[in-house]
């Protein structure tokens, strides 16, 4: 079972591009689905959502200032995520702390970039 806070790296773009994703919901309808919340590093001169900026060390994988990429929250099957973790497509990392999860979740309604369909999961 994929619990809230489960964290792993997902390839995005060239092979060396791996982004931290954190499971943000225990379960959504249909029951096998989870919301994945992506984290990205802040790059000089590139716009980023400032709703939830993460400092170095807030998660062991975060080694430079980063932000929660609310615009790119995705819905994915827990079964598929588990298969990708088992076969090495995704790389497991330490789970996010309760404090980090709370900080990230608090930013969902605050961000101007959170999609309406994502907000619906947290309003019910």
């Amino acid at each position: 079972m994929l619990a809230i806070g489960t964290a792993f790296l997902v390839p995005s773009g060239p092979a060396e591009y791996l982004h931290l994703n954190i499971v943000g919901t225990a379960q959504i309808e249909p029951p096998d689905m989870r919301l994945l919340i992506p984290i990205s590093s802040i790059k000089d001169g590139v716009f980023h959502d400032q709703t939830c900026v993460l400092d170095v060390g807030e998660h062991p994988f975060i080694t430079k200032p980063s932000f929660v990429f609310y615009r790119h929250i995705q819905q994915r099957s827990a079964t598929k995520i588990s298969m990708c973790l088992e076969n090495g497509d995704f790389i497991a990392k330490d789970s996010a702390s309760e404090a980090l999860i709370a900080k990230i979740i608090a930013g969902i309604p605050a961000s101007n970039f959170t999609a309406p369909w994502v907000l619906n999961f947290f309003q019910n």
Side-chain angles (χ1 to χ4, degrees):
M1 178 176 157
L2 289 175
I4 293 174
T6 300
F8 47 89
L9 301 180
V10 175
S12 58
E16 68 272 8
Y17 282 49
L18 298 171
H19 282 100
L20 184 66
N21 278 254
I22 297 173
V23 175
T25 55
Q27 177 165 249
I28 57 178
E29 292 298 327
D32 185 50
M33 302 305 279
R34 304 291 187 273
L35 289 186
L36 298 185
I37 303 172
I39 310 298
S40 187
S41 59
I42 296 171
K43 294 165 187 65
D44 289 335
V46 177
F47 175 82
H48 67 275
D49 186 344
Q50 296 182 11
T51 304
C52 187
V53 173
L54 304 176
D55 294 320
V56 172
E58 284 195 74
H59 182 275
F61 184 74
I62 298 174
T63 59
K64 50 186 156 180
S66 298
F67 70 102
V68 178
F69 215 150
Y70 292 108
R71 176 178 288 178
H72 290 294
I73 290 176
Q74 298 178 20
Q75 182 178 352
R76 292 287 178 253
S77 159
T79 302
K80 175 81 170 166
I81 295 166
S82 295
M83 285 179 9
C84 287
L85 286 166
E86 288 171 18
N87 71 22
D89 289 340
F90 296 169
I91 302 166
K93 292 294 176 187
D94 293 338
S95 291
S97 68
E98 287 184 26
L100 179 56
I101 299 284
K103 180 177 178 176
I104 290 169
I105 299 300
I108 288 174
S111 175
N112 291 328
F113 302 100
T114 303
W117 68 268
V118 175
L119 292 170
N120 288 336
F121 292 109
F122 292 92
Q123 291 175 349
N124 295 329

